[in-house]
Amino acid sequence: MGRPFLIITLLVAAILVTGCTAAPRSSYDYEVHPTTAAAAPALITDYRDPLPPEEDDGSLPLGEIVMFRDANEENEISLKVVSSIDRGGYEPAGEPIRITAPQGWRYLFVHVVVTHRGHRGDGYQTTIYAPPAQQFSLVGNGRTYYPVSAEADHLTNIGEVYRGNVWVDRNGKYEGYIVYQVPESVVDSCAVVVADIVGLKNRYGRDYYNFRKYDRNPAWRL
């Protein structure tokens, strides 16, 4: 009985030693071939334009004036959005036609005023630049809208069309209505008009304006 017992003991010890020295399972193989697959990401079915930072509680009420100066700080400028009206269509003055919005849409007419508040420097530049209409975007219900081209300088029962991109003499004023075509739901959505003028540059790459109090584009809530 002594010899068989000794043989069995030696066999058990050999098995234990072999198991301890075997190569461990590769962690690399385990990570490359996981046992459970990750769930696929959900599809985005409703894309909405991101709202600009201007559309928040810091937006200005209608009629609020924004004051700034030109790049050389020689001329003082004021800008404001005065009012807005909506119509189903409009008529170019002196023309026997009427432009009608598509079904479910309206035209919004936003009154903008740029004023030269005076020359404050010693230089000879005494005019200010009224920004183009395309620098004014309208944000409502998560979408951004840009001005449409009204083929007229004056609209019957509305007023002059604001086009901008003009120079205003000292103590002068430039104003008019910017035309937007928007869905009916935007009309009463507390939309915001944003003036994209901070950092606006001329064709030579120079700033038109110098903002000392504003680090973002001013916006007015309709």
Side-chain angles (χ1 to χ4, degrees):
M1 294 296 293
R3 179 177 291 272
F5 179 78
L6 178 59
I7 294 173
I8 294 173
T9 301
L10 292 174
L11 289 174
V12 172
I15 293 172
L16 291 176
V17 170
T18 302
C20 292
T21 57
R25 182 181 182 184
S26 170
S27 59
Y28 177 82
D29 292 340
Y30 179 76
E31 293 174 356
V32 172
H33 304 287
T35 56
T36 56
L43 295 177
I44 300 176
T45 57
D46 182 22
Y47 175 78
R48 304 176 74 84
D49 293 338
L51 298 181
E54 288 78 7
E55 186 171 359
D56 58 19
D57 294 337
S59 58
L60 304 169
L62 287 175
E64 184 81 10
I65 293 175
V66 173
M67 298 284 296
F68 51 99
R69 293 193 178 189
D70 60 7
N72 296 326
E73 294 202 5
E74 294 182 345
N75 301 282
E76 197 165 63
I77 309 165
S78 73
L79 171 66
K80 62 181 177 179
V81 173
V82 181
S83 62
S84 69
I85 55 177
D86 71 283
R87 301 277 177 83
Y90 63 88
E91 300 174 5
E95 298 291 337
I97 58 173
R98 176 176 175 80
I99 310 301
T100 304
Q103 184 175 0
W105 292 71
R106 301 281 286 179
Y107 285 110
L108 261 178
F109 305 90
V110 177
H111 189 189
V112 175
V113 180
V114 180
T115 305
H116 192 316
R117 303 299 289 262
H119 182 70
R120 312 300 184 193
D122 299 325
Y124 297 99
Q125 179 66 38
T126 59
T127 59
I128 62 169
Y129 182 68
Q134 289 297 323
Q135 297 301 123
F136 295 83
S137 59
L138 187 149
V139 180
N141 287 347
R143 300 281 183 177
T144 301
Y145 303 90
Y146 294 93
V148 298
S149 177
E151 301 299 329
D153 293 328
H154 187 95
L155 304 180
T156 303
N157 297 325
I158 295 175
E160 295 293 326
V161 174
Y162 182 100
R163 300 191 188 282
N165 192 30
V166 298
W167 291 92
V168 183
D169 291 329
R170 180 163 49 184
N171 300 322
K173 180 189 296 185
Y174 179 78
E175 63 181 308
Y177 286 87
I178 300 178
V179 185
Y180 300 92
Q181 182 176 288
V182 300
E184 292 178 344
S185 59
V186 171
V187 174
D188 297 319
S189 67
C190 295
V192 170
V193 172
V194 182
D196 185 11
I197 55 177
V198 174
L200 182 63
K201 300 183 185 301
N202 61 22
R203 60 179 178 174
Y204 302 108
R206 304 190 186 103
D207 289 339
Y208 276 114
Y209 310 119
N210 185 301
F211 287 87
R212 294 182 296 175
K213 296 181 180 179
Y214 295 90
D215 59 356
R216 66 175 188 171
N217 292 315
W220 290 263
R221 189 168 295 279
L222 302 182

